[in-house]
Amino acid sequence: MEAFLIHGGKPLRGKVTVSGAKNSVLPLMAAALLTPEPCVLEGVPRLRDVSTMVSLLKALGAQVTWKGERITIQAAGLSSMEAPYELVKTMRASILVLGPMVGRFCKAKISLPGGCAIGVRPIDLHLKALERLGTRVTLEEGYVVATCNMLHGNTIYFDKVTVTGTENILMASSLAKGETILENCAKEPEVQELAQVLRCMGASIEGEGTDTMHIRGVKGLKGYHHRVMPDRIEAATLLIAGAITGGDVRVEGVIPHHLEAVTQKLKEAGIKLNIEDRAIEVKGSCRPKAVDITTLPYPGFPTDVQAQFMALMSIAHGTSVITEMIFENRFLHAAELQRMGAQIKVEGNKAVVEGIETLKGAPVMATDLRASASLVLAGLAAKGESRISRIYHLDRGYERLDRKLIALGAKIERIKEDWP
Ligand code: UD1
């Protein structure tokens, strides 16, 4: 396994460009299963989750080539209808093949994702919605088996806002007979991008970015050629890296509008930001002020930035309250930040962070993707050396974060580490 050795306490300076959005690439790759025509995706980041999706699509029988930043997928037909446990267990987003497979082939057998470090994360809403479209769903030996004769449009109300749930049903209903109305659907930019690409493929979709979407099913879809949008979570992480080290960092290739909830909170914390059309510059000249955050579905503050913001608040002036509304058990990073001296008390879905002047380097362990990012940020701000173990979590969703940070002046070494 690999770990990071970070010598912190150095302000980051310079320019950095964000990579393509992981949470867009994954559903867009799954959408290629909706058509026999080739689909070309540009700007694809080198991430472990993308490799897992490539393996999954290949296991189903799709032809996939990945050269540089371009992925081409063609699913003329599928040789298997089964998404195996070995792949699904490493990436929950594997569930995204369910909607397209049922939509086009009327059959899918997908391993249940199971638990993960940040909570139970069920898929009941995906399954209920597919049933509303006429799918029979059974659970057999740890697998979800979904079959239908033909999907029929229906009205679906999501009890809870679910990103991949909305995406799955958007893809399935694009090929259903008649009209589907999705209510209380996710409005994340990644969902909107998927709707736009599906429309380019010939789907009839209206209302993305609002609570209600209307989908009129069509008989078949064409291929697509699309450049994926920038990753707003990576952008937020890089901005916080600038802020937490008191540096001067220009993050390029971003869509500032996607980051409003985060930039507003950074400004409230007294961080100086210069927001342009496609770039944001952060100037962290002084210690941030404590501010409270509550995670919510988009356009609210993203749960995927909660851990990184907690790292920032751990060196703020004053006490902040961080409320996690999306996932239970998404505070595992708090205990690791405490090892670096952070003063954090977790009570249910709230973390009370009493800011201290400086963190101290310590050996810590990454527990999930965004938790790893928060520990890297804390390590960059801390005095002395931090060792962050299990950074494979980080490589799932950040493209060469260590190299990008090193280019900004960070002292980070990627080392091999033995684990029992
Ligand atoms: C997606 C993102 C993830 C992000 C999350 C919330 C991708 C690939 N992943 O995950 O990075 O953290 O959105 O913004 O885009 N829920 C149910 N039943 C379901 C589905 C969800 O109860 O069938 C609950 C979940 O447990 C959670 C909430 O709904 O409490 C939101 O989860 P959801 O939006 O579905 O997260 P993902 O789509 O898995």
Side-chain angles (χ1 to χ4, degrees), residues 23 121-126 160-164 304 326-327:
N23 286 354
R121 299 183 83 174
I123 54 160
D124 56 317
L125 300 174
H126 303 229
K160 239 179 154 180
V161 175
T162 160
V163 174
T164 49
D304 285 352
I326 309 292
F327 293 114

